[in-house]
Amino acid sequence: MRVLIFLIVLSNLVFAQYDSSMYNLIKTTYERSFDTHIVYKYLHPNSEQKTKAAILSIAQSEDTSFVPELLKLNLNKYGSEVCFALAQIGNCNQSLNFLWKFLYAFPPSETFPKIFFAIGKIGTDNDLRRIVEFYNSFDGPIFPYEGISEAILQFQIRGIKSDDAKLILENEVLHSLSTKLRIKEALFTLSRYKNSALTDEQFQDFIQTIFANEDDTEFKQFALMNIDKDLFLEDVFNIDNPLLAIQFLKILHFFHFKNQFYPNNNIELYLKFLNDKNPNVTLQSAVSIKNLKDTINDSSKLFIKNKIDSLLFDSTKSLSFKGELFLSRFELFGDYEEHMSLFEGGISIDIDQFLIFNIRSF
């Protein structure tokens, strides 16, 4: 089996720079021995492909002793690959000193995202402050380089955050000269920060504009990921993609559509998605419908309960769907005895799931 796996790795050309003539390099990488004699042999040949393959091998080593050798390479040719390797190897003062020196040397613009990524991946709180200072040092119409949000994201993943960094993300989202890529990256990172300082009006306009003009599902997903409070929008927008529908359902309870009554329109949307043709969408709707708990009134409770019950007794629905919907029903309406009695009526779901849920609720 070990030989078979190795042969698969050897022949898998998807992994960038490797090919079958690099047997020794692939072998030492696969075995995680990272033999320096072998790696350095490939690092300094008259072959760009072999050099990049060696850099890729070093990137997997987590061995900072390779750093001095990496920094001897021609950065005009291998700057991006070296930055990636430094990020993957791990925290090292020599690496950080080099990255900052490289940044202030103003390399080709396409290298900046790689430098930002690497600094974010291995930098400290102080390095995040320096990133903020670097961003704010530019007084032109807009910060001239892409990748700043990726740096902030990598810091955030490691628990390093700051209000000043969040301000950068908000500026990247709203700036009139931001590219679509910059806005997308900033939105994704901002969603991990939560509690954005964007005003309701700013975010309402932004969401309404995106859903009116953009056909990029990922862009819309990242925008929806930032919603964590009530928003008042002009009208319901079109949701025709399963991935987008799933994210939309997670935050649907925050939406108030001006041209319809709240929460009746939200109820209609939850029920619509409960019958979606995509099973992942229906499952998310079953999970999310409980978010109506604090908004539904007495007149709509019976209506919702009847709709839910019709689905719970539908033999064509999956057990996972009915299990989640049953738990949401209990969240919405309570009454343990009533829900236990539904099992006697023939609902085919896992009763243990319900009992465990109740134990955790107390």
Side-chain angles (χ1 to χ4, degrees):
M1 178 61 72
R2 185 180 177 87
V3 174
L4 175 61
I5 294 174
F6 177 63
L7 290 175
I8 291 172
V9 173
L10 183 67
S11 62
N12 188 355
L13 299 181
V14 173
F15 285 98
Q17 312 302 330
Y18 295 122
D19 67 36
S20 57
S21 69
M22 304 177 190
Y23 180 90
N24 290 338
L25 181 64
I26 295 172
K27 185 172 185 291
T28 192
T29 303
Y30 169 72
E31 293 177 343
R32 304 200 61 77
S33 57
F34 302 101
D35 187 309
T36 55
H37 296 291
I38 295 173
V39 174
Y40 289 158
K41 174 185 174 183
Y42 284 89
L43 193 63
H44 298 289
N46 293 319
S47 166
E48 186 173 327
Q49 183 185 19
K50 289 183 177 180
T51 298
K52 289 183 177 180
I55 297 172
L56 183 60
S57 176
I58 290 171
Q60 299 175 62
S61 71
E62 300 180 359
D63 184 350
T64 57
S65 67
F66 282 112
V67 170
E69 207 65 27
L70 282 174
L71 301 187
K72 294 177 184 178
L73 294 172
N74 182 345
L75 297 178
N76 291 326
K77 292 179 67 174
Y78 305 114
S80 293
E81 289 80 7
V82 167
C83 288
F84 173 76
L86 295 178
Q88 297 303 113
I89 287 172
N91 195 354
C92 169
N93 286 336
Q94 187 175 14
S95 295
L96 278 170
N97 290 336
F98 161 76
L99 289 167
W100 280 109
K101 183 178 179 181
F102 197 21
L103 184 70
Y104 285 116
F106 295 99
S109 58
E110 63 270 18
T111 310
F112 273 84
K114 303 296 192 303
I115 301 174
F116 286 137
F117 169 80
I119 292 175
K121 195 84 184 298
I122 64 175
T124 64
D125 296 69
N126 185 56
D127 292 296
L128 178 57
R129 285 191 289 272
R130 291 182 68 180
I131 285 286
V132 171
E133 290 170 1
F134 183 76
Y135 183 90
N136 291 332
S137 68
F138 289 84
D139 57 2
I142 190 173
F143 182 71
Y145 307 111
E146 294 187 346
I148 192 73
S149 296
E150 181 63 34
I152 297 172
L153 173 63
Q154 294 304 317
F155 279 114
Q156 189 279 332
I157 288 172
R158 296 184 296 119
I160 301 173
K161 302 167 65 175
S162 79
D163 290 339
D164 290 332
K166 186 165 71 168
L167 286 174
I168 289 176
L169 298 173
E170 292 164 356
N171 185 62
E172 290 285 292
V173 169
L174 296 176
H175 201 293
S176 61
L177 297 180
S178 277
T179 64
K180 185 175 181 179
L181 175 62
R182 286 173 69 155
I183 295 172
K184 284 173 67 171
E185 290 180 347
L187 281 170
F188 180 76
T189 305
L190 189 59
S191 71
R192 299 178 67 102
Y193 262 70
K194 299 296 184 183
N195 299 317
S196 165
L198 299 179
T199 67
D200 289 352
E201 184 177 352
Q202 286 174 321
F203 211 78
Q204 287 163 22
D205 291 344
F206 183 71
I207 290 289
Q208 209 78 55
T209 300
I210 286 178
F211 278 86
N213 301 325
E214 292 288 342
D215 60 359
D216 187 325
T217 296
E218 188 177 61
F219 197 20
K220 293 175 180 177
Q221 277 184 284
F222 292 171
L224 293 178
M225 286 165 58
N226 280 277
I227 296 173
D228 56 8
K229 56 186 177 181
D230 289 350
L231 278 184
F232 292 82
L233 302 177
E234 289 298 328
D235 205 349
V236 179
F237 37 73
N238 186 38
I239 302 291
D240 56 2
N241 179 283
L243 293 176
L244 193 59
I246 289 169
Q247 186 60 47
F248 175 69
L249 284 162
K250 292 178 181 179
I251 46 81
L252 174 55
H253 58 293
F254 288 124
F255 284 105
H256 297 252
F257 300 103
K258 293 180 181 178
N259 294 340
Q260 300 186 40
F261 293 107
Y262 181 83
N264 292 357
N265 53 302
N266 301 61
I267 293 171
E268 290 173 5
L269 287 168
Y270 281 118
L271 296 178
K272 170 191 171 184
F273 285 117
L274 282 173
N275 288 288
D276 196 87
K277 62 183 179 181
N278 185 293
N280 294 317
V281 173
T282 61
L283 185 63
Q284 184 61 56
S285 190
V287 171
S288 296
I289 195 171
K290 64 177 175 286
N291 292 328
L292 288 170
K293 180 178 180 179
D294 296 327
T295 57
I296 55 175
N297 53 41
D298 291 338
S299 62
S300 58
K301 282 184 179 179
L302 183 60
F303 172 74
I304 297 172
K305 186 180 290 188
N306 288 337
K307 288 289 186 180
I308 289 177
D309 289 352
S310 68
L311 293 169
L312 289 176
F313 286 96
D314 186 340
S315 61
T316 66
K317 302 299 182 182
S318 71
L319 291 177
S320 58
F321 167 80
K322 289 194 283 189
E324 293 295 346
L325 188 58
F326 186 82
L327 294 179
S328 287
R329 187 189 192 279
F330 182 73
E331 279 279 300
L332 286 168
F333 309 116
D335 197 332
Y336 178 82
E337 295 300 328
E338 176 187 334
H339 284 78
M340 288 298 293
S341 69
L342 288 174
F343 289 105
E344 299 173 6
I347 291 181
S348 55
I349 64 173
D350 184 0
I351 190 172
D352 290 338
Q353 182 182 12
F354 177 55
L355 295 175
I356 291 172
F357 173 80
N358 275 281
I359 291 171
R360 290 174 177 171
S361 299
F362 287 103

